[in-house]
Amino acid sequence: MRAVVQRVTEAAVEVDGHTVARIDPDGQGLLVLLGVGHGDDPAVADALAAKVWKLRILDDERSASDIGAPILVVSQFTLLADTRKSRRPSWSAAAPRAVAEPLVDAFADALRGLGADVQTGHFGAHMRVRSVNDGPVTLLLEA
């Protein structure tokens, strides 16, 4: 699994012109763009969720768990792109929908199980993701 985690002051996802998910924290929250690979499983999703929940990247070195910051999770298979051989990305490292969708759900559910307020985009949909990155703080995590 590969995740891009951004500290945000707001974030939203639109599908077909309708807002399907939104976080508007009183302070800061996290936007997590999540890509799933072939070797990923529920244990990987749980471990990465715990890392995101406890990651100390909010003001005063606090984590989302410290302040109950909301988290918006958006599936993004393009994070697994391989561009080493040409200008056209290869998506072969990305898990197929039948594998990836349940693991994105497992990641979000693991965060909820830890106490997070989680919103999600729509898997496989063409989404417009809007965010206000705070800092900016953006990290790439791999599990």
Side-chain angles (χ1 to χ4, degrees):
M1 268 187 183
R2 189 172 288 163
V4 171
V5 180
Q6 294 184 317
R7 184 175 74 186
V8 298
T9 56
E10 62 183 78
V13 176
E14 291 181 11
V15 176
D16 296 328
H18 296 80
T19 300
V20 298
R22 177 179 186 81
I23 60 169
D24 195 11
D26 183 23
Q28 298 167 320
L30 299 176
L31 170 61
V32 179
L33 306 174
L34 186 67
V36 178
H38 292 285
D40 296 329
D41 59 30
V44 171
D46 289 348
L48 188 57
K51 185 167 191 160
V52 167
W53 184 232
K54 295 288 188 176
L55 201 58
R56 296 171 57 170
I57 61 170
L58 303 179
D59 282 346
D60 301 321
E61 294 187 12
R62 293 180 294 173
S63 67
S65 68
D66 292 334
I67 64 169
I71 301 173
L72 175 57
V73 176
V74 178
S75 63
Q76 189 161 356
F77 77 93
T78 60
L79 292 177
L80 282 288
D82 182 352
T83 59
R84 292 176 291 175
K85 294 185 181 178
S86 72
R87 294 177 296 145
R88 179 177 296 161
S90 167
W91 312 114
S92 62
R97 181 181 191 132
V99 173
E101 186 172 12
L103 289 176
V104 171
D105 291 342
F107 176 83
D109 289 343
L111 283 168
R112 289 183 186 104
L114 294 167
D117 172 14
V118 179
Q119 299 290 313
T120 62
H122 286 188
F123 191 96
H126 182 93
M127 295 177 271
R128 290 184 183 247
V129 181
R130 295 188 182 156
S131 65
V132 177
N133 193 324
D134 186 42
V137 174
T138 302
L139 301 169
L140 175 64
L141 304 180
E142 295 193 61

